Amino acid sequence: MCRTLATVGLAENENGGAVDDPEQIAVCLHLKERFMSRRWIQWVLVDEDSCDLATFEPLENGFRPGDPHDVTGQRLSRFSYVKRDGADFMMLSPETACRMTLRSDKVLKRIWHSSSPLDDGQANEAIFVALGQFGFLEPGLTEESAERASWTFADAILHSSSRRGRDEPIVGENLDLQKRFPPPQARLVPTGKTHTLTPVRDKNQLATERRRSCRKWHASPIPLPLVSSFLQRLSAVHESFDAGGLERLDKPIPAAGSIHELEWYIAVGNVSGLEQGLYRYCGFEHTLDAVPGSADAAAEMLQNAGSSMGATAEVPPALIMLTTRMPRIAWKYKGMAYRLTLLNAGIALDAMYNTATELDLGGCAIGTGDPRPFQRVTGLSWFEESPVVEFALGLPK
């Protein structure tokens, strides 16, 4: 079958060119879909002498380039960047699920000319047509949306590169450093005079010490009143007020500028009184709003959470998910909006651990998370709203 694919060729069997055998065409199309689903197909840009200029490698299962189109007036996306990878140069962008490895200095030099809108002559060059097909260009003169404009280059790169939004592994255990260097020690050697402190063991200290990450769950469903109390203690809106033209919120936990750009969701698997699915918590009315058609997405989120907590962990009965609405916080703060959203998320995680402990619930922060099920079921782009925190919740064993 592979030899047939190589003989027939992808382009010919799609266009019905030199191949008349329907069985061969069907075999090739089937193989193409299977290979694309595993990221086994790459695209190579060659010059007139058949020399490789660039290779496009998919980072997400099932990735497909767009159709060739007129790129006149487009330019290099402000999120596209080039970095060195060994002896090669590589172009990436958080807006596209592929990477481009540059095989020729000629290509690298030509790309710099795409910072301005492409003219008719440049738009006909194969390199710029390819950049458009693979998602590295943006409209040159069109005003970008408020959601996209809210993201700076550094914020977008950090967000996309620290999440499991690609099937090509980018986050997880750092085996490269472990092989090259000894582990850094936890204890630092004192460099000055040491002062002995007297420990205090009060009620608050004892409550903090009870906190544990839970990865195994009781089979009983979480009582809905416990979920209600958990969300109310963390995200209920006490007051809404205007400051500087922006609506601010008074909630139980602090947030930069009282903006509270983090939205609270719960993916339900086993909660009494709730069907499986994704729900958004509304702190104004203290309600849960179901996301339509989200049962399968919620199941995927819970499965991802279980696998992210380790080989011995179980799928949690519920998952708290915090998403950031960057346009809200970026409207107020410049150059530090994403940093503030991460600080807010850290405060929320600490509060979730303490609240879960007080309610005799088990909880565990998830180090990695895949935002794609959320984006798929809500239809929101990550520019508008994207998950930044996941927290497993249930009755501990």
Side-chain angles (χ1 to χ4, degrees), residues 83-351:
K83 70 172 187 177
R84 184 178 64 80
D85 183 46
D88 296 321
F89 282 99
M90 184 181 296
M91 174 173 281
L92 300 109
S93 169
E95 291 187 288
T96 183
C98 80
R99 62 178 168 227
M100 173 186 177
T101 302
L102 309 178
R103 305 296 185 189
S104 167
D105 292 342
K106 179 169 62 176
V107 174
L108 186 58
K109 293 175 182 177
R110 288 301 296 154
I111 288 176
W112 302 140
H113 293 286
S114 60
S115 57
S116 300
L118 300 171
D119 57 31
D120 292 339
Q122 293 171 318
N124 289 323
E125 295 184 33
I127 180 60
F128 294 126
V129 174
L131 288 175
Q133 282 184 263
F134 286 90
F136 290 100
L137 300 182
E138 67 180 14
L141 301 176
T142 304
E143 186 74 20
E144 64 181 343
S145 66
E147 292 79 16
R148 189 176 188 270
S150 300
W151 288 82
T152 66
F153 171 79
D155 290 348
I157 302 306
L158 175 59
H159 179 69
S160 63
S161 61
S162 59
R163 304 289 291 168
R164 288 175 55 188
R166 300 280 185 256
D167 294 302
E168 174 76 10
I170 57 172
V171 296
E173 191 169 2
N174 198 338
L175 298 178
D176 292 336
L177 285 183
Q178 292 175 18
K179 292 176 181 177
R180 294 169 58 193
F181 304 106
Q185 298 301 308
R187 181 191 292 267
L188 296 176
V189 178
T191 57
K193 184 178 179 181
T194 298
H195 298 266
T196 301
L197 304 176
T198 302
V200 177
R201 301 184 64 80
D202 57 15
K203 179 180 178 181
N204 292 332
Q205 179 66 22
L206 292 175
T208 303
E209 290 179 354
R210 286 178 54 215
R211 196 259 341 136
R212 293 290 184 272
S213 290
C214 179
R215 295 177 176 84
K216 292 185 181 294
W217 317 95
H218 200 279
S220 301
I222 310 174
L224 185 56
L226 279 184
V227 172
S228 173
S229 180
F230 181 86
L231 293 172
Q232 182 180 12
R233 294 185 186 204
L234 294 165
S235 193
V237 177
H238 296 161
E239 182 186 3
S240 173
F241 59 96
D242 181 273
L246 183 66
E247 184 180 18
R248 316 295 179 100
L249 304 176
D250 178 17
K251 288 189 173 187
I253 61 176
S258 296
I259 294 171
H260 288 282
E261 76 290 348
L262 296 177
E263 293 288 339
W264 291 66
Y265 290 81
I266 179 170
V268 169
N270 191 16
V271 176
S272 64
L274 292 178
E275 296 181 355
Q276 180 172 287
L278 181 66
Y279 298 79
R280 181 177 64 85
Y281 175 67
C282 178
F284 290 92
E285 287 84 25
H286 189 54
T287 57
L288 285 175
D289 301 329
V291 177
S294 59
D296 290 343
E300 185 176 353
M301 294 171 186
L302 294 170
Q303 287 287 341
N304 289 342
S307 63
S308 296
M309 288 187 289
T312 60
E314 298 174 351
V315 175
L319 182 73
I320 304 295
M321 177 181 293
L322 304 189
T323 66
T324 180
R325 293 172 59 197
M326 278 289 285
R328 260 185 65 77
I329 195 163
W331 190 89
K332 171 65 176 176
Y333 296 109
K334 182 179 180 180
M336 58 178 181
Y338 191 65
R339 170 178 167 78
L340 291 177
T341 234
L342 295 182
L343 290 173
N344 293 338
I347 291 170
L349 273 177
D350 179 65

